[in-house]
Amino acid sequence: PEGISNAIAVAEGLYHGLALLTNGTVVAWGDDSYGQIDVPVGLSNVTAIAAGKYNSLALQQDGTIVGWGDSQYCESCVPSGLGKVKAIACGSGFSLALKSDGTIFGWGNNPFGQTSIPQNATNVVSISAGDMHSLALRSDGTVVAWGNNDNGEIDVPSNLSNVVAIAAGWNISVALKSDGTVVGWGNNYSGELSFPVWMTNIVSVAAGAFYTLVLMEGEPVIIQQPTNVTVYSGHYVDLNVTTIGPLPIFYQWQHNGTNIDSPNTASLTISNVQPADTGNYGILLTNSYGVS
């Protein structure tokens, strides 16, 4: 919607979206077939939001939860007596709450046991809900998974450790480690777990239905390149570019703004130009963010 500003968090359901504003209020948009964007009047002091298939949750400053939208499985019916909650998550027809004591409570649709919390899900610091499975990150950097396992989405790698963030998608699971690398398991039919080898310095992860997203941190790329060179008939000149920075670079050489057929490398040899050519040879660099 137009006019949204001062947003500090967003959440995406199946066909609706939520935004949390700095003043503690929530804005919702998209499909409203189940009332999932009908934000309760007077809702305030919100610190976190979560969007499920057809429902929405808001966590308030006092640790209480407000829910609205679909209640077919009572996923919006917040249980009483939860105590103080510090995190929330929504799946497909179910909801999770992380309590201040590091334990989890789940409610709603449960055909695969996605709300049946395992006994070892203790000392939890973060939770994530997929379509029909759930993840929990423990304070020791290990991950606990439960629920549907048709695609191996709860088969946590046995040696996985030092995890700092988790994300559960439709039938995939992703973990971000303290060294900035990502580990994934589950469905890979669309390459959602085929992480590019150049992915480094990752600071955040997100998992969708058929894709995975990461946020990479890096310094700006400093470019040193030759320009206005003269190439004489029968001679050649080597053009080289130096890039300084951690981000992966994709090279496209240009002459007077037109792309030149060349390999994706930091150097280019120009030779046998007829007649002598004085032109502006340069290079278009595109980093892994797609920014040139």
Side-chain angles (χ1 to χ4, degrees), residues 8 15 52 54 65 71 75 77 98 118 127 138 147 151-152 155 165-166 169 179 187 189 237 271 283 285 292:
I8 56 175
Y15 298 120
Y54 300 123
I65 303 173
S71 290
E75 59 267 45
C77 308
L98 173 59
I127 54 176
R138 303 182 66 200
N151 294 274
D155 293 336
I166 51 175
D179 62 0
N187 174 46
Y189 296 144
V237 62
S271 61
I283 191 167
L285 300 182
S292 60

Side-chain angles (χ1 to χ4, degrees), residues 32-72:
D32 197 33
S33 301
Y34 298 88
Q36 60 266 51
I37 69 170
D38 295 339
V39 180
V41 176
L43 181 65
S44 60
N45 299 317
V46 176
T47 59
I49 51 177
K53 188 175 182 179
Y54 300 123
N55 73 305
S56 304
L57 294 180
L59 176 62
Q60 296 184 292
Q61 192 171 18
D62 62 0
T64 59
I65 303 173
V66 177
W68 63 97
D70 189 21
S71 290
Q72 178 182 1

Side-chain angles (χ1 to χ4, degrees), residues 241 243 249-253 262-267 283-286:
V241 62
T243 60
I249 295 297
F250 305 94
Y251 300 91
Q252 174 60 63
W253 286 94
S262 65
N264 180 25
T265 63
S267 63
I283 191 167
L284 175 66
L285 300 182
T286 304

Side-chain angles (χ1 to χ4, degrees), residues 163-199:
V163 175
V164 295
I166 51 175
W170 184 13
N171 45 26
I172 61 173
S173 299
V174 181
L176 171 62
K177 301 183 66 174
S178 58
D179 62 0
T181 60
V182 171
V183 177
W185 60 97
N187 174 46
N188 194 36
Y189 296 144
S190 299
E192 49 267 64
L193 300 179
S194 299
F195 305 127
V197 295
W198 45 257
M199 269 182 14

